[in-house]
Amino acid sequence: MEPLKYRPAENDEDIKLMVLYAVGKLKVSATYTRIFHVLSAAADVSYCLLTVPISDLIDSGNIEELHYDGQTVFSLTQQGSETLGFFGERLLRSVRIRMQQEIDRINKDVLSGNKLDASIVPVNEEEYLVKAEITEDRIPLLKFEMYVGDKERAKKIVRNFKDHTSLMYLQVIKAIDFNYDKLDLENMEELTDIEDKFE
């Protein structure tokens, strides 16, 4: 017999926290369908009605909507991370456990078909080459080489790629797609906002 699922009320703040938890914990692209699978593993939620809390979270600046490869994915903002840190414990422990189990399953299933290579090649005593490649279903998504003059910085770049692969890929796509031609002195704040996301 399947255990009873948590039944949050419509527009319940717990649903928004659950969405934040799912987006924050998924190590792969947080699509609408994956978010639903995570939430439905622990709670009785409607696929269609999930659009409301997601829209609210976007409007409040807790998550952002990104588009690439014909997909819509969601990413946790700094504000969203802080919100989850402050209020995440409000979620029932049983709900968090079931969600985490589904998250672990999704991460394992998707990442097993993906490949990530990130390494450091010493060039000389003061220069290091960082090489990184992301492959999904044997299709190369991103490949680059970057020279850095500090070994610790090189290690940090490699560590970030290994620990935050999906997020870093999405941020690269976002930066590439940005319309820099529209920038002028009056829009420097917009450029600052982009730079802040990479700090």
Side-chain angles (χ1 to χ4, degrees), residues 37-100:
H37 283 315
V38 172
L39 268 64
S40 63
D44 187 4
V45 294
S46 166
Y47 186 90
C48 295
L49 293 180
L50 197 56
T51 57
V52 176
I54 288 179
S55 294
D56 289 345
L57 288 169
I58 293 173
D59 292 341
S60 62
N62 283 283
I63 62 175
E64 59 182 335
E65 186 180 52
L66 304 170
H67 303 275
Y68 80 99
D69 289 348
Q71 284 188 316
T72 298
V73 299
F74 303 93
S75 176
L76 206 63
T77 64
Q78 181 61 38
Q79 179 178 322
S81 180
E82 292 173 359
T83 300
L84 185 60
F86 288 138
F87 301 108
E89 292 297 318
R90 280 181 41 182
L91 290 173
L92 294 174
R93 184 171 180 272
S94 60
V95 170
R96 279 184 278 126
I97 289 175
R98 291 182 189 177
M99 288 178 64
Q100 190 60 55

Side-chain angles (χ1 to χ4, degrees), residues 72-190:
T72 298
V73 299
F74 303 93
S75 176
L76 206 63
T77 64
Q78 181 61 38
Q79 179 178 322
S81 180
E82 292 173 359
T83 300
L84 185 60
F86 288 138
F87 301 108
E89 292 297 318
R90 280 181 41 182
L91 290 173
L92 294 174
R93 184 171 180 272
S94 60
V95 170
R96 279 184 278 126
I97 289 175
R98 291 182 189 177
M99 288 178 64
Q100 190 60 55
Q101 289 173 341
E102 181 64 11
I103 288 168
D104 292 342
R105 184 195 67 78
I106 292 173
N107 286 339
K108 181 180 179 181
D109 288 349
V110 176
L111 293 176
S112 63
N114 297 347
K115 179 183 177 184
L116 166 68
D117 287 323
S119 60
I120 302 172
V121 179
V123 178
N124 54 53
E125 292 183 358
E126 298 180 350
E127 193 172 22
Y128 301 85
L129 174 63
V130 175
K131 302 175 71 175
E133 181 176 4
I134 301 173
T135 304
E136 186 174 287
D137 295 331
R138 299 182 179 180
I139 299 174
L141 297 181
L142 176 67
K143 182 176 182 180
F144 82 95
E145 297 182 353
M146 178 179 180
Y147 287 91
V148 295
D150 181 87
K151 186 177 182 179
E152 291 305 313
R153 186 182 180 202
K155 288 181 178 179
K156 182 179 180 181
I157 294 171
V158 169
R159 185 170 62 250
N160 280 337
F161 254 94
K162 291 182 177 179
D163 294 345
H164 309 286
T165 308
S166 181
L167 179 59
M168 288 192 68
Y169 175 69
L170 291 175
Q171 294 296 348
V172 168
I173 295 299
K174 184 176 181 180
I176 291 173
D177 284 342
F178 182 77
N179 190 351
Y180 294 93
D181 292 334
K182 289 185 177 181
L183 285 178
D184 54 38
L185 293 177
E186 295 179 359
N187 286 330
M188 289 311 292
E189 182 178 346
E190 189 175 8

